[in-house]
Each structure stands twice: as C-alpha cells, then as structure tokens.
Amino acid sequence: MADAYIIDACRTPRGIGKVGKGALAHLHPQHLARTVLAALRERNQLDTATIDDIIWGTSTQRGKQGYDMARMAALDAGFDIKASGVTLDRYCGSGITSVSLAAAQVMSGMEDCLIAGGTEMMSYTASIADPNKPPMLDGDNLHLRALHPQSQQGVCADAIATLEGIDREALDRLAVVTQERAARAVAEGRFDKSLVAVYNDDGTLALDRDEFPRPGTTMESLAGLKTVFSAFVDIAVDDQGNTYGNLVTRKYPELEGRINHVHHAGNSSGVVDGAGAVLLASKAYAEAHGLKPRGRVVATANVGDCPTLMLNAPVPAAKKVLARAGLTKDDIDVWEINEAFAVVAEKFMRDLDLDRDKVNINGGAMALGHPIGATGSILIGTALDELERSGGRYGLVTMCAAGGMAPAIVIERL
C-alpha cells in the first residue's frame, strides 16, 4: 500500500455556539468551511484543479448545513470547478471518518490529492432542532427504538458514570485539568500553527481566538454548578410511553431509579461553531508539487458498541486501530480522546491504563468546545502539532459517536 501523507492541517477558532453571543454565529456554515479550504490552498500554494476530491463531515445536514457542503464550500472558496466534493455523516465521528476515507483513497492508489475535514455550526443546528424529538438519534422509527433504545447523550453519560462507579469529584477534577491545559496551550501559542482567523465578507475580523475556554475554573466553581441531565429523564419522546430515562433502563434495568447525575455545563463538551481541514497527498503528488509531508496516516479503524449507552466505543476502537498499526499503547506519544462528556475521557484512561500526561495534552472539548462534524479533523491537526512540538512519533485520535460508534486513527510525525 502507498503512504497517505499529511501535508498540512488547519482550523478556525471555535466560537460560542449561541446566536447573538458567539462571534461566528452570524455566518453561513459554508463560510467556515471555505475559510479553512482557502487557508490550505494559500499556505501550500495548491493548484486546486489538481485536487481529486474533498471529503467533508457535517452531522446535521439540514437547511444551511445541507446541500453537500464540501462542494459548495469549495466553490465559495474559489477552487477550480474540477475539485469535486462529498459530505458524510457519522455524527461526532464525521471529522475523523472524512480523513480516514481520504487516506484510504490515497493508500489504494485511486487518487493523489484530497482535502478532508468538517464543519458544524451548533448555533445554527440549535435554532432548527425540534425540542420534542430525540436529537441525532432514531427519530420516529419506533421499530428501531424497540430493538435498540437510544436516549439523550447526557443521560447516557450519567448512566455510564453510575455503572462504572465514577463520581462527580473525579469528573470535575478532569474538567479543571483540561481548562488548565487549554489555558497553557493558548498562552504558549501551541495552537497558532493551525489556527486560521475568520473574516466577515466585508473584510473585518470575525474571530481569531478560541472563544469558549474558561481559564481560572476551579473545583470550587464547578461545585456550584447544577447537574443538567436529571431534568431530561422524565421527558417523553413518543406516545408509546418512552422517556429519555426508560430508554436506558429498558436495556439496563439495574439503573431504574438510581442513575447518579454527575454531568453539568462545566464537565461536558462546549457548544461551539467551527471547522477544520487536513490536506493529504501521495508521495508522487507531494514530490511533483514541492510539498513536504508533516506526517502520515498509519492505520484507521471503526467500531460499533452498545447504542443504548452510546458513548463506550472509543476503547475498543483504540484497541482495534493499535492492532491494525502493529503498535501498543506504549508507542503512542499523543492521545486525543474527545471529551464529549468527562466520563468518556475518564473511562478511556482508566480502561486502557494510560499515562494521563499523554492524553489531551493541550486540553479538550470541555474547555475548547466540540463542533460535532468538525472535531475529529481538528483533533488530528492538534495531535500533529503536538507531536511536532514535543518530538513525539505517534498520535492516536478517537471519539464516541451517536449510535454507539467510534472511529479511530493513528498518525506518525515525519
């Protein structure tokens, strides 16, 4: 198999995902995608007529986020019309999957130059969400719901914490650490290599820094926050008597009446807007166009797990991709596990018995936010930047996705 080289990676800042409050919320989602596409073109002097395809991840593909964002954003960025595009959805895992599929095209020899990435404007998706239906899950398909009850993500996170015996203090401690690490990363300019400012159409600056971090977060300040997802347990989701709570307890009856609610706004991922992109190429393309590879894709993997608990697939995904890569956990210098909820990262580190100093070194989604379809691509760039800064060799990126899934990818610094 040929090598799939990572030539470059970039991302927008993550803006607060609330209309009227976030600095990016007034923009069209394609605007964020075009920003990172244009940045890759300019940073690498790309002839966009030679780009074989653009593969993009976007979770909520409705309204402004529909209509094949990859193609439309490329046209909006002024790419040559020969650069085609396709948009996919693996919920939160979309941004890793777009990179994995692009790498597979190069490694198979079918194509030579691709851009992969993702966009999510959660300020927009919140504005079109139906509050009476479970978000991103099984909609009105009651047959599927009977086979695989799927609840609200935060209720699932609390259920996992209860089953695992992980208390709020441990989760809040992790949330404080991630805020401290993000603050350090910002202060030391660790994100500067990948960060691309977003400008309005009139040329004025929209945002050039991550807007969500809350430096100075302490255990005391988090202790004052009320848990959120206890309020969801009794919400009805259909006329069959299903609530968010009993969608979990139908599968796990031992949790009936005893889910310990431990997650709140401070130890859950931030609601933000953002986009990220990765440029991949074959050896022949890189040499022909004078591009110096920064890394390569070593292996990718996908795993499904219990859709009712939803958030537990990252551990088996990490094990699978390590086996594919012929590596062990001790070979990995940089781990990026998306902090959808604190329990996801906490359980991941406990189950794999990881050195915590190698996990989410520069903070995670509890501090920086989680623009759903974009996060995976962003984290691949973050891992590569950290490998270059620290001199490490291998990075592993994974994350949970709705439906009980997790993609994973191992990259190597060159």
Side-chain angles (χ1 to χ4, degrees):
M1 261 191 317
D3 280 324
Y5 287 134
I6 300 173
I7 305 300
D8 199 8
C10 66
R11 68 171 178 91
T12 67
R14 281 164 275 200
I16 293 172
K18 293 183 179 179
V19 174
K21 187 174 182 181
L24 302 178
H26 64 290
L27 299 172
H28 196 287
Q30 293 169 8
H31 188 115
L32 299 191
R34 94 178 189 210
T35 296
V36 289
L37 289 173
L40 287 182
R41 176 190 60 205
E42 292 158 11
R43 286 156 57 128
N44 298 281
Q45 300 180 327
L46 286 178
D47 175 0
T48 58
T50 67
I51 297 171
D52 292 307
D53 206 7
I54 299 162
I55 304 178
W56 215 249
T58 302
S59 183
T60 302
Q61 294 184 30
R62 291 188 287 130
K64 293 180 181 180
Q65 290 201 162
Y67 310 106
D68 189 359
M69 192 181 300
R71 174 63 168 174
M72 297 306 136
L75 294 174
D76 197 19
F79 277 33
D80 192 283
I81 59 172
K82 293 179 182 178
S84 61
V86 63
T87 303
L88 58 85
D89 175 13
R90 198 194 293 275
Y91 300 108
C92 297
S94 301
I96 293 179
T97 296
S98 66
V99 176
S100 295
L101 293 179
Q105 287 294 91
V106 174
M107 294 167 80
S108 68
M110 293 295 101
E111 292 177 324
D112 287 300
C113 180
L114 300 95
I115 296 176
T119 301
E120 204 84 37
M121 290 199 69
M122 299 182 76
S123 57
Y124 173 69
T125 59
S127 73
I128 62 173
D130 184 345
N132 299 313
K133 291 184 178 179
M136 301 187 298
L137 303 178
D138 56 346
D140 296 319
N141 187 346
L142 298 181
H143 179 263
L144 173 58
R145 189 169 293 166
L147 290 173
H148 296 290
Q150 299 175 64
S151 185
Q152 198 274 345
Q153 295 96 318
V155 175
C156 296
D158 286 344
I160 292 168
T162 303
L163 290 169
E164 297 290 328
I166 299 174
D167 61 23
R168 174 170 171 167
E169 182 180 357
L171 302 181
D172 283 0
R173 189 179 306 114
L174 184 61
V176 170
V177 169
T178 202
Q179 290 284 355
E180 291 172 346
R181 290 180 177 183
R184 179 188 63 193
V186 171
E188 295 181 1
R190 296 188 184 185
F191 298 138
D192 291 356
K193 189 169 187 176
S194 290
L195 202 60
V196 175
V198 179
Y199 292 89
N200 297 307
D201 284 328
D202 64 5
T204 58
L205 178 67
L207 188 64
D208 62 357
R209 59 176 178 79
D210 288 313
E211 199 173 24
F212 192 80
R214 291 156 296 202
T217 296
T218 64
M219 291 292 288
E220 291 72 27
S221 64
L222 293 183
L225 298 178
K226 293 182 179 180
T227 58
V228 173
F229 302 106
S230 55
F232 284 76
V233 169
D234 295 324
I235 294 176
V237 298
D238 55 39
D239 58 5
Q240 308 297 306
N242 288 307
T243 65
Y244 283 121
N246 67 27
L247 287 175
V248 173
T249 58
R250 273 171 45 196
K251 195 74 172 280
Y252 295 90
E254 66 270 31
L255 290 172
E256 183 72 47
R258 58 174 293 265
I259 294 178
N260 184 24
H261 295 286
V262 291
H263 286 92
H264 49 75
N267 61 20
S268 304
S269 57
V271 175
V272 295
D273 302 328
V278 181
L279 173 62
L280 300 108
S282 66
K283 180 180 180 180
Y285 184 96
E287 290 177 347
H289 292 84
L291 299 173
K292 182 180 180 181
R294 295 174 58 193
R296 73 178 183 99
V297 174
V298 179
T300 69
N302 299 286
V303 168
D305 198 79
C306 174
T308 298
L309 292 179
M310 192 190 311
L311 311 174
N312 280 341
V315 169
K319 291 179 178 178
K320 184 176 180 180
V321 79
L322 284 173
R324 286 264 175 89
L327 301 172
T328 71
K329 68 176 184 179
D330 295 328
D331 294 314
I332 303 300
D333 302 295
V334 173
W335 297 81
E336 288 287 343
I337 168 67
N338 185 44
E339 297 169 349
F341 299 92
V343 74
V344 176
E346 182 67 26
K347 183 178 187 300
F348 186 82
M349 290 185 285
R350 292 186 185 194
D351 286 0
L352 293 174
D353 190 24
L354 298 181
D355 178 349
R356 290 173 178 254
D357 289 337
K358 295 182 177 181
V359 183
N360 296 354
I361 296 168
N362 295 311
M366 289 186 284
L368 295 159
H370 171 30
I372 296 172
T375 302
S377 302
I378 291 172
L379 293 184
I380 291 168
T382 299
L384 182 57
D385 285 347
E386 179 57 27
L387 288 170
E388 291 177 338
R389 186 196 71 83
S390 63
R393 182 176 181 183
Y394 292 112
L396 190 154
V397 182
T398 188
M399 60 203 310
C400 57
M405 301 182 289
I409 188 168
V410 172
I411 64 171
E412 180 183 16
R413 176 183 65 87
L414 297 178

